Every structure is written in structure tokens, then in C-alpha cells.
Amino acid sequence: MTTRLVILPGLLLCGSLASGKNELYFKETVVPVKVAPDQDSITASFPFTNTSGTPVTISKIHVSCDCTTAGAKDNKLTYAPGESGVISAVMKTGNFSGTVDKDMTVHANGSAYKLVIRAQIPDIIRMEPRKLEWARGEAAVPKTIKITISKELPVNLTTVDLTGDAFDYEPVTVKKGREYKIIVTPKSTARPAFNTIWVRTDSAVPRYKRQMGFLAIKEN
């Protein structure tokens, strides 16, 4: 009979770093990984040792996001006293930027161990702010989204599109390849509205091909 490790996405158990008997000792429970601008996935390793006097069996690993998968090295599930192993996790970097934590929980012999990949993803394209808001009934004055591009990766803004029709917008090049701005003006603030603004670039890296911002007219 073959025992299989079941990976279940989307479920995270909250609580302390480990609950139960703490039979597994992890050298590091938070592993920082620096991501290159063009890297679409990263791998983190969590070495551990069975510090108890009895065998320990990993029953399952829960991950907090479907962008992450995790498993024991060589799919080995049971560890004798004093035996060591490694939990390996792979995270897709997707459209994330900045410092991003992705959690997983290892279940073994009734105990739960929380592990964290701390991805440090370059913030190549910065939109400030990502959301512009007006109150219902206030003056329909223009507001600005500033777009700044890091020197780490040359990127040019190509198009700006709006999902919805509640706003007028004007893209402006301040410094080609480095700085842009989008001037946004509500057509009216008489009623609530929510539109999405898409900024597209010529980047060859998928996560920098487009950026998303939000425009809203809110109830008072």
C-alpha cells in the first residue's frame, strides 16, 4: 500500500508556530528569498529533524495560496528519531511585488508547524496611488496616478485602458521609460461608480506587462 502526501490549497491554520508535541525541529520557519526581476517562480527549503523518541509521520501540508505548492523531499513521509528531512515549497511570483509572505502548515503526529516563504519581489512598476476616490456629490476635480519605473528593468508604458465609462483620463509622459502620470476626472459624481484602469507596458516579463488601478465614486 502506497501512502501519498495530500496538498490542499487555500486552507491555513492559525495559531502558534507549532501546536501539539513539537516533535519536528525546523532550522528556519521563515525563509526569505530574493526574486530576480524576470523570475516567475521561486523555491524555498525548510530542513527539519525529528527530535522526539518516536517515529513521526507527515500526514498533509496545507498551503495558504494556490500560487504555492509544497511537499516533503522525495515524498518521504515518516522519519525515525534523529532523522532529518526537508520540506520544499515552490511559489509562482505572478503579479506580486514587494515583500510577500506565503504560509504553509505541516501536519505530523497531531502537531501543526507553520512555515513561511518571504518573497522579496522587485517593485519595478510603482503606481501611487493605486486607487483614486471621490465622494458622491463632491466637485469632479481631476486627480493623478503617478507611475514610476525602476532602473532595474527598462519598461515603457504603451497603452492605458478603462473598464467602465464613469471617468475621463489622460496619460502623460513625464520621462520616457521612467515616469508617467495619468490624470483622471469623473464625468459626474452624482452617483456611485467603480471602474478599473489598466496600464500596459512593453515589458517581456509577464507580471510587468500590465498593472491595475481602481477609480471610485463612493457614497458619503
Side-chain angles (χ1 to χ4, degrees):
M1 180 177 178
T2 301
T3 304
R4 301 183 65 185
L5 179 63
V6 179
I7 308 296
L8 298 177
L11 178 60
L12 173 64
L13 298 185
C14 299
S16 61
L17 181 63
S19 61
K21 300 176 183 178
N22 302 341
E23 296 164 317
L24 298 182
Y25 169 74
F26 284 85
K27 184 177 180 181
E28 291 183 281
T29 55
V30 179
V31 174
V33 181
K34 188 172 182 179
V35 183
D38 59 350
Q39 197 170 353
D40 58 9
S41 67
I42 56 174
T43 300
S45 297
F46 299 84
F48 64 87
T49 302
N50 177 3
T51 56
S52 74
T54 59
V56 173
T57 298
I58 296 173
S59 55
K60 53 190 172 183
I61 302 175
H62 289 158
V63 294
S64 63
C65 176
D66 59 9
C67 65
T68 306
T69 57
K73 185 178 180 180
D74 299 326
N75 202 33
K76 179 177 172 61
L77 303 180
T78 300
Y79 296 82
E83 189 175 7
S84 296
V86 176
I87 299 296
S88 294
V90 177
M91 172 190 163
K92 295 179 181 177
T93 53
N95 291 320
F96 297 117
S97 63
T99 300
V100 180
D101 285 356
K102 292 300 172 183
D103 305 340
M104 66 207 75
T105 305
V106 178
H107 295 267
N109 283 30
S111 297
Y113 305 84
K114 181 179 174 181
L115 308 176
V116 179
I117 302 177
R118 180 157 292 162
Q120 298 167 343
I121 304 172
D123 196 5
I124 297 296
I125 302 176
R126 185 171 298 171
M127 293 179 65
E128 299 176 312
R130 282 193 178 265
K131 186 174 185 179
L132 295 179
E133 293 183 339
W134 291 258
R136 183 178 179 182
E138 79 167 81
V141 296
K143 296 184 180 182
T144 300
I145 296 174
K146 182 180 178 181
I147 300 170
T148 307
I149 299 173
S150 168
K151 294 180 180 180
E152 291 182 70
L153 193 69
V155 175
N156 291 297
L157 187 151
T158 55
T159 61
V160 177
D161 300 305
L162 192 67
T163 303
D165 59 0
F167 300 86
D168 291 320
Y169 61 96
E170 179 189 1
V172 177
T173 300
V174 178
K175 185 177 181 180
K176 185 175 174 61
R178 290 290 176 260
E179 187 177 340
Y180 302 85
K181 62 182 180 180
I182 306 170
I183 302 170
V184 181
T185 309
K187 293 180 179 178
S188 169
T189 60
R191 63 182 64 187
F194 186 85
N195 287 182
T196 303
I197 193 163
W198 291 97
V199 175
R200 291 178 170 80
T201 76
D202 61 0
S203 174
V205 181
R207 71 170 168 272
Y208 303 127
K209 282 184 177 294
R210 64 177 187 173
Q211 300 289 308
M212 181 170 56
F214 305 98
L215 312 174
I217 299 168
K218 300 180 65 178
E219 289 282 7
N220 294 330

